[in-house]
Amino acid sequence: MPSASRLPRSGRIDVLVNSAGGTMWTRLDEILDLSIFERLMRLNYLGSVYPTFHALPHLQQSRGRIVAVASMAGLIGVPTRTGYAAAKHAVAGFCDSLRVELLDSGVTVTLICPDFVVSEIHKRALGPDGRPLGDNPMANSKIMTAEQCAGLMIPAIERRERLLVTSGRGRLARWLKLLAPGAIDRMGRTGDSAFLQTRRSRPQSEARAAGRARPAADASPDDVETTPPAVPRSCRGGQRYWRRPP
């Protein structure tokens, strides 16, 4: 985050790239810890808002560029990423609104929406209990590398483009959402089914050790140990307190 003490060393700010991000990989009805949503919103959304706020006066002086790395999940719905998609949609809305505010300032806003990219974000995706999954379900996928993504980003930033969607599939999905939204829903469900099947086929002892056990098909309700989700009770002095329902 820019500060007055650091600016003299660099001289000025010409480009601000907001790229902090984290994700989840679980259905809403499987979640055990609702704080996942608050954590993802603070990281993905406020992680772009705060740096932009503090850098804006300096960017106005240099007529610079603001860049936010969102995701295709910020343009369309993606199953098992409800919290992540909501935060990235917030980033997109923030950028669209800020762009209008800065029309006469010389400062431009570029929104980057990558498709899947090989990175540690998948390995650190949060499971139902709020803990990182620890394995990368995208490890063997033929998807874009971080270097390839950066290679597409740099020209778009230089040209001060409004929006960059890094894949043909993503550009198609963006238009299909407007013309045939039902088709996008079916595509999203199909595309995510392979991962869900892989996760659910893990040995139950392994899943339980990771805090993500699913009850056996023939188990009775009395045989299944469950932990109810945490729910917010109140906010006092900026601190959130949590309780678990009985």
Side-chain angles (χ1 to χ4, degrees), residues 173-227:
R174 182 169 172 251
W175 285 107
L176 278 178
K177 180 182 177 181
L178 299 175
L179 302 175
I184 285 293
D185 295 343
R186 291 188 292 273
M187 288 171 60
R189 181 177 60 184
T190 302
D192 217 56
S193 61
F195 168 75
L196 290 174
Q197 182 63 34
T198 299
R199 198 185 78 189
R200 289 169 178 171
S201 65
R202 296 172 62 194
Q204 195 173 48
S205 60
E206 178 185 348
R208 185 177 295 111
R212 297 188 297 272
R214 296 180 60 84
D218 57 349
S220 68
D222 294 335
D223 296 331
V224 179
E225 295 182 1
T226 59
T227 302

Side-chain angles (χ1 to χ4, degrees), residues 9 89 96 119 154 191 209 213:
R9 182 178 301 176
H89 271 76
D96 287 344
S119 72
I154 292 173

Side-chain angles (χ1 to χ4, degrees), residues 27-146:
R27 289 169 51 99
L28 180 64
D29 56 10
E30 295 176 340
I31 286 178
L32 303 175
D33 184 358
L34 280 174
S35 70
I36 289 173
F37 290 88
E38 185 173 356
R39 291 157 60 188
L40 291 179
M41 190 64 72
R42 289 182 63 85
L43 175 59
N44 292 289
Y45 173 53
L46 296 181
S48 291
V49 173
Y50 290 174
T52 300
F53 174 81
H54 289 285
L56 186 55
H58 310 288
L59 289 165
Q60 288 172 324
Q61 291 178 4
S62 65
R63 301 175 70 84
R65 300 166 171 84
I66 297 171
V67 182
V69 181
S71 168
M72 278 306 301
L75 300 179
I76 62 175
V78 181
T80 69
R81 322 289 204 289
T82 48
Y84 176 73
K88 291 301 187 180
H89 271 76
V91 171
F94 174 74
C95 288
D96 287 344
S97 299
L98 183 61
R99 187 182 297 111
V100 178
E101 294 181 4
L102 299 176
L103 278 177
D104 299 324
S105 69
V107 179
T108 54
V109 180
T110 298
L111 181 66
I112 309 291
C113 292
D115 206 324
F116 286 116
V117 176
V118 179
S119 72
E120 289 294 308
I121 192 174
H122 303 296
K123 185 176 181 179
R124 297 173 182 171
L126 303 179
D129 57 1
R131 300 176 183 175
L133 291 173
D135 53 3
N136 186 352
M138 307 296 297
N140 298 321
S141 303
K142 296 181 179 179
I143 57 179
M144 182 180 298
T145 66

